[in-house]
Amino acid sequence: MNKIITVINAVIILAILAGVGYLFAGGYNIAAAEKHWDITFKAIQTVRNQSIAAHSEDLEKPLPTDVGGYISHFHDSCRTCHGAPGVSPAEFAEGLYPKPPTLHKTETQKHWSDGEIVWIIANGIKMTAMPAFGPSHGVSEIHGLAGFVRKLPNMDEAAYRQLAASHGLSMETGGHQHGEDDGHHDALSESQSDAPPEGFLDELETGESGNGHSHE
Ligand code: HEC
């Protein structure tokens, strides 16, 4: 019996040492272009959801409703990653992992309470591209932004454009052209588990430059 326990202990210790060795030898690929396993992604999401729910408990209070003016802030600071009705995110958002969700979809927002949205905007989400706006913005601004986010699913492209125009905002996304229209700005609607463009990493290793946008 004692022998069996000794063997099991030895196997466990060896497995731990192999795991640590793998990590220190650089075996884990930290690339944003390399997706998590589904199970890892789901585990991270669960930890995130539970954490946000627990930390935002005291933040539930009615959000301001007269928030049209926050479009300027949203358009400059949030649209670049999240897009807006009829407006693409900036090109770099295509390469973020996890992908910034499309906030103007009811589907995206229904999961979150008002307090959770406030918390997310104020604190950001670790190990994702979602920044904390709390360090640079006042409480009323954070609430205004949260209120504006809540209005987005009810805004169509025309309503967003009209509001943006009345605040002197440009609808240009500022992206540069790659000489082809391959629809890559639609990337946010693609699923989280999409692989990076095939052959892209090989090209990087060999130094041969393709156009970098070989989705098809
Ligand atoms: C540099 C990119 C970036 C910018 C800028 C940014 N976000 Fe995000 N945001 C993200 C990413 C990435 C996520 C998803 C994080 C995750 O999967 O846990 C996210 C998540 C969120 C969520 C949670 C929605 C969800 O379902 O995950 C809200 C709400 C949000 N952002 C609001 C905002 C607002 C409001 C602004 C502007 C004040 C903003 N974000 C600016 C990248 C960004």
Side-chain angles (χ1 to χ4, degrees):
M1 186 65 188
N2 271 350
K3 252 190 185 165
I4 295 175
I5 291 175
T6 312
V7 170
I8 291 174
N9 280 343
V11 168
I12 291 172
I13 289 168
L14 277 177
I16 292 172
L17 284 178
V20 171
Y22 170 78
L23 295 178
F24 273 87
Y28 181 74
N29 189 352
I30 199 85
E34 180 88 10
K35 311 298 177 205
H36 289 300
W37 292 339
D38 274 0
I39 189 172
T40 315
F41 195 80
K42 287 203 177 101
I44 294 172
Q45 273 192 320
T46 305
V47 170
R48 175 197 67 177
N49 295 349
Q50 296 303 108
S51 169
I52 293 172
H55 284 86
S56 63
E57 259 172 11
D58 301 333
L59 300 181
E60 298 300 344
K61 63 173 198 176
L63 293 176
T65 49
D66 184 14
V67 288
Y70 284 93
I71 191 171
S72 308
H73 204 147
F74 182 87
H75 197 73
D76 286 345
S77 303
C78 320
R79 185 268 314 161
T80 39
C81 283
H82 292 285
V87 193
S88 304
E91 190 182 57
F92 69 80
E94 198 180 324
L96 296 177
Y97 185 73
K99 288 234 158 87
T102 307
L103 289 179
H104 49 281
K105 281 190 186 156
T106 312
E107 194 57 29
T108 309
Q109 289 201 28
K110 71 175 186 198
H111 174 79
W112 306 105
S113 68
D114 289 351
E116 287 177 325
I117 299 257
V118 167
W119 189 92
I120 291 168
I121 298 172
N123 295 286
I125 304 176
K126 223 174 237 165
M127 301 284 275
T128 77
M130 178 58 198
F133 288 88
S136 49
H137 294 77
V139 172
S140 62
E141 279 177 292
I142 302 282
H143 280 111
L145 276 165
F148 186 76
V149 165
R150 281 305 204 203
K151 296 240 181 260
L152 280 172
N154 298 327
M155 249 185 242
D156 60 10
E157 181 173 348
Y160 189 88
R161 275 183 182 271
Q162 199 181 12
L163 188 62
S166 71
H167 286 83
L169 298 171
S170 152
M171 279 297 123
E172 296 307 317
T173 56
H176 52 277
Q177 292 299 315
H178 292 270
E180 58 175 318
D181 184 10
D182 60 6
H184 59 264
H185 285 300
D186 291 334
L188 289 194
S189 58
E190 288 171 15
S191 100
Q192 294 272 19
S193 61
D194 281 340
E198 220 175 308
F200 168 74
L201 293 177
D202 299 339
E203 275 171 24
L204 207 64
E205 277 168 16
T206 58
E208 278 173 29
S209 64
N211 63 15
H213 287 282
S214 48
H215 283 280
E216 278 92 23

